[in-house]
Amino acid sequence: MAGSIINLFMWGYQDSYRIHIQILARDVLKKLGAPADAEVLLVGARRPGSKNANPICVEPEDGKWHLSLFEGLLDLVESTYKGHRLQNMFFGDEPSMRDKPEWMRRDSVRTSVSKALEAFDTKHNVTSFCGESRRIDDYYVVPVIQIPNDTFEQFPPLPSKTAVDSQSGCGFRSLIHAALYAVLHEATEELHNPDPGRFTHGSMRDAEEIIRIAAKDFLHTPGLSIERRYIHNDLFDALNLVSSLMYEGAKSIGQLILVDPDNEAVEFLAKFVEPVPFREPRWVRKVLQMAASGVGIVANSQYIYGLGRLKESHDSSSQDAFTVAFIDHYHWELYCGNQALLRSQYAVPKLPQEPFDKAAFLANYTRLFPLSSQDSGLHLWKLLRTQTSQEHGSMIVIAADAANEAKRLCKQGTSIVPTRLTESLLRSVSGIDGTILLDPNGFCHAIGIILDGEASDECTPSRGSRYNSGVRYVQMSSSHRLAIVVSDDRTVDIIPPIKRLCSRTRIEQCVVTLEAATLDNYHDSRNWLDDHRFYINAEQCARINAVIDRLDAVPKQVGLIYFGTERFEVDSDMDESYLID
């Protein structure tokens, strides 16, 4: 902090506090499987009676969130405070009555900041999540996390309910919402400490802990939505335990329907006289074994009431029924209708998504095999999805020289008359050892092939023989080849690895932001560009390097920690097909 001048001063460690929250929020999103594009700002509203010259403070003060956004904020806070719902509420204990004005003040600041950011959110297509406010010296400080709305297009939340069914009454709209509010809870707790932001290491939970807390919080959503009198219990841990148990050697596979048992949409096939409590996991696991195709076990968040299903006429948009699909050992997913909301594998919660981005896969396929049709790429995508849904490991290799390779390796497998590989045929032939060899148009030339090839630096003893043989075979030839490897532990790899497509607009925006940056605010744009070096073109590299030279040459104040940046160079493998918009 030495030599740093803060004009909009709230406390001395506000910058390090904000940066730590931002790093944590990004780490949480990344581990969930979402784009790590979170930004954090702090808004401070001057407390009543203070003579501080700044009525409002914003951190960072580099102008992205201009003070004009919060013009009239103090008046809005006072108006909200006077009309607060707690004004006419009386508590039976003196401490609560004593604390009530502070509770109203904090909540009024938070809701007023949220209201003030609405216009910014609309203009910049982002969503702001506001944490609880806490007083530090002259200011009530609100931490705010903003993420692009594009994230919610990729991972749609549950639709908002009417005012009657408020958020407090139906839980969180998505796992992302629960996770960001869990981060904000940590941020609020840190504000209680002396000099928040001074000691960041170990002062807050790490991303893994926060994600687990968020999953537990999100699993209250079904109970809050379907039960008249919801009793909080740990449904997340209960489902993990049930999914981990075997029944006479069989895995937990079946469906659990979370619904009010009196809901008219429920069609019982067998109703228990005595409900089975979730606190008896082995009993629950035994009941799950009876769930056949098209039949589930009907339960709320506390008890199982029998076997049944939802009627076809049920409208999932009412959010009065959820389903849990037990997919494999220690692996389950939560749904509302057809909308997947959460995936848990070995008690690690994530956002449900395809193992690979479809657009990136198709672009990569066209790049590797330019003579193939768009239909061929789509066909291979369907085969990939079928391959990854099977319970056993397998490998498909697509090779431009598949016909010649089938002849060369005929003694190491079974050559067949070229036949277009269908999903049903894939399920049949993938049951034997060895690789399925296809040409770029999806025609199968051989099955059960034992691949050859020399070891390379890309091979690793941490992976199995199937993965390493795929690496060796793809890299041994100058002909274009692609391997899809599904390991026995359900890990999916594509060799060579697929790079995601990147937004051309986003790259240019970050370059422009960096060009206007100073030593105080260059970090975010520089770090993003550093993580996306592969996509930067020659003209942008030159502009970025000019900024690096400028920042390197700026005289540094004593005590300032400045990290140099490696100069940017064009990647020879980069072309326009990696860019979107």
Side-chain angles (χ1 to χ4, degrees):
M1 301 298 295
S4 225
I5 297 175
I6 305 176
N7 295 311
L8 301 176
F9 183 88
M10 293 177 282
W11 80 101
Y13 299 95
Q14 62 191 54
D15 180 58
S16 60
Y17 168 81
R18 180 192 65 83
I19 291 173
H20 186 65
I21 301 301
Q22 183 165 281
I23 291 172
L24 183 59
R26 290 177 176 180
D27 198 17
V28 165
L29 289 170
K30 182 177 180 180
K31 291 183 183 301
L32 283 175
D37 293 334
E39 292 191 283
V40 171
L41 67 147
L42 311 178
V43 181
R46 188 176 62 191
R47 65 173 175 83
S50 170
K51 302 300 182 184
N52 198 301
N54 297 316
I56 303 297
C57 290
V58 178
E59 164 62 43
E61 55 182 62
D62 57 13
K64 179 168 185 178
W65 297 277
H66 198 270
L67 280 175
S68 60
L69 285 170
F70 306 100
E71 187 175 347
L73 180 65
L74 293 187
D75 292 337
L76 181 59
V77 170
E78 292 306 316
S79 174
T80 305
Y81 181 84
K82 290 176 182 177
H84 198 277
R85 58 184 175 81
L86 292 182
Q87 285 286 6
N88 297 319
M89 183 175 289
F90 294 90
F91 297 95
D93 60 311
E94 189 276 331
S96 293
M97 289 300 295
R98 184 181 65 239
D99 291 338
K100 188 178 79 166
E102 181 68 6
W103 294 343
M104 292 191 297
R105 176 67 54 183
R106 291 174 177 178
D107 190 55
S108 297
V109 172
R110 180 189 63 81
T111 56
S112 298
V113 169
S114 179
K115 183 75 173 174
L117 285 168
E118 288 178 358
F120 182 93
D121 287 4
T122 301
K123 180 179 179 180
H124 294 86
N125 197 30
V126 298
T127 297
S128 292
F129 295 82
C130 296
E132 299 295 328
S133 71
R134 290 295 182 269
R135 180 179 160 185
I136 300 182
D137 297 331
D138 283 345
Y139 293 92
Y140 282 91
V141 179
V142 179
V144 182
I145 301 175
Q146 287 184 345
I147 65 172
N149 288 335
D150 291 349
T151 300
F152 293 120
E153 293 178 8
Q154 184 177 352
F155 302 102
L158 291 168
S160 297
K161 286 196 169 186
T162 61
V164 176
D165 298 315
S166 63
Q167 169 105 334
S168 60
C170 60
F172 291 101
R173 293 175 57 208
S174 74
L175 180 58
I176 292 176
H177 285 73
L180 293 180
Y181 280 114
V183 172
L184 288 169
H185 177 76
E186 292 298 306
T188 300
E189 291 301 302
E190 173 67 8
L191 288 176
H192 285 293
N193 295 329
D195 299 320
R198 181 184 178 193
F199 303 107
T200 56
H201 179 70
S203 64
M204 286 184 270
R205 292 181 173 91
D206 60 22
E208 287 83 359
E209 291 180 278
I210 288 175
I211 288 171
R212 186 171 179 82
I213 290 169
K216 290 184 177 186
D217 290 345
F218 184 55
L219 260 294
H220 291 308
T221 297
L224 288 166
S225 298
I226 68 177
E227 296 180 35
R228 297 183 183 92
R229 295 184 61 188
Y230 174 66
I231 299 175
H232 276 60
N233 60 0
D234 201 339
L235 188 58
F236 178 71
D237 281 347
L239 294 174
N240 281 327
L241 180 55
V242 170
S243 68
S244 71
L245 297 175
M246 308 287 278
Y247 182 77
E248 296 184 353
K251 302 174 183 177
S252 296
I253 297 177
Q255 186 182 77
L256 184 149
I257 305 169
L258 294 167
V259 64
D260 183 340
D262 295 327
N263 191 318
E264 293 181 355
V266 177
E267 179 184 346
F268 275 102
L269 302 180
K271 195 168 186 178
F272 302 152
V273 173
E274 293 293 333
V276 177
F278 266 105
R279 64 176 180 272
E280 299 285 350
R282 292 191 178 279
W283 195 357
V284 175
R285 174 64 187 89
K286 187 175 182 178
V287 173
L288 179 62
Q289 193 65 24
M290 294 187 282
S293 177
V295 177
I297 54 178
V298 178
N300 58 20
S301 59
Q302 300 177 69
Y303 296 98
I304 296 173
Y305 293 89
L307 300 176
R309 56 191 166 216
L310 293 173
K311 296 176 182 176
E312 292 185 5
S313 59
H314 175 253
D315 182 8
S316 62
S317 66
S318 60
Q319 297 179 32
D320 60 354
F322 294 74
T323 56
V324 176
F326 292 94
I327 299 169
D328 202 346
H329 179 245
Y330 227 147
H331 185 186
W332 55 271
E333 291 184 349
L334 176 70
Y335 288 83
C336 182
N338 294 322
Q339 183 177 352
L341 302 171
L342 178 147
R343 172 181 297 161
S344 178
Q345 196 164 10
Y346 293 98
V348 177
K350 280 198 170 186
L351 293 164
Q353 57 185 308
E354 299 285 358
F356 297 96
D357 179 71
K358 182 179 180 180
F361 176 85
L362 295 175
N364 191 66
Y365 196 82
T366 301
R367 194 179 303 112
L368 274 175
F369 307 112
L371 298 180
S372 64
S373 65
Q374 183 180 13
D375 177 68
S376 297
L378 288 170
H379 181 64
L380 261 297
W381 173 255
K382 293 177 182 177
L383 293 178
L384 184 155
R385 296 189 64 182
T386 301
Q387 184 186 7
T388 56
S389 68
Q390 298 182 113
E391 294 189 13
H392 54 78
S394 61
M395 178 159 62
I396 294 175
V397 167
I398 301 96
D401 56 347
N404 292 333
E405 283 296 281
K407 294 177 183 178
R408 185 177 72 84
L409 299 172
C410 63
K411 300 298 184 182
Q412 298 176 209
T414 303
S415 296
I416 66 172
V417 175
T419 304
R420 189 168 173 84
L421 186 66
T422 62
E423 295 172 57
S424 59
L425 182 58
L426 170 61
R427 293 188 184 95
S428 298
V429 300
S430 63
I432 62 173
D433 292 337
T435 297
I436 302 167
L437 184 63
L438 308 182
D439 65 27
N441 293 316
F443 283 82
C444 181
H445 291 255
I447 59 176
I449 290 289
I450 306 302
L451 301 178
D452 55 10
E454 298 181 359
S456 73
D457 292 339
E458 299 300 319
C459 294
T460 171
S462 66
R463 301 299 305 275
S465 59
R466 184 181 286 117
Y467 172 83
N468 284 304
S469 66
V471 170
R472 290 194 298 268
Y473 185 73
V474 167
Q475 293 187 344
M476 70 174 283
S477 173
S478 58
S479 295
H480 287 180
R481 293 172 180 172
L482 178 73
I484 304 171
V485 184
V486 179
S487 301
D488 289 329
D489 63 359
R490 308 298 289 274
T491 302
V492 183
D493 295 280
I494 294 183
I495 308 166
I498 289 179
K499 288 186 179 293
R500 284 188 173 272
L501 305 183
C502 190
S503 167
R504 182 185 285 104
T505 303
R506 180 70 189 278
I507 295 171
E508 181 61 22
Q509 286 174 343
C510 286
V511 174
V512 170
T513 301
L514 184 64
E515 287 178 314
T518 66
L519 287 177
D520 294 324
N521 61 10
Y522 74 95
H523 303 86
D524 279 353
S525 53
R526 188 278 308 268
N527 291 344
W528 192 92
L529 292 167
D530 198 37
D531 290 338
H532 296 79
R533 284 176 174 265
F534 175 80
Y535 305 95
I536 311 300
N537 64 33
E539 184 263 344
Q540 290 167 334
C541 282
R543 292 161 61 193
I544 295 169
N545 289 333
V547 176
I548 293 172
D549 292 340
R550 173 173 63 81
L551 294 177
D552 286 348
V554 173
K556 312 298 188 297
Q557 296 174 334
V558 176
L560 176 69
I561 299 176
Y562 174 77
F563 295 97
T565 304
E566 184 180 345
R567 296 180 68 79
F568 280 62
E569 296 179 357
V570 177
D571 194 302
S572 58
D573 292 332
M574 168 60 190
D575 61 53
E576 288 291 310
S577 64
Y578 285 99
L579 302 178
I580 55 176
D581 68 37

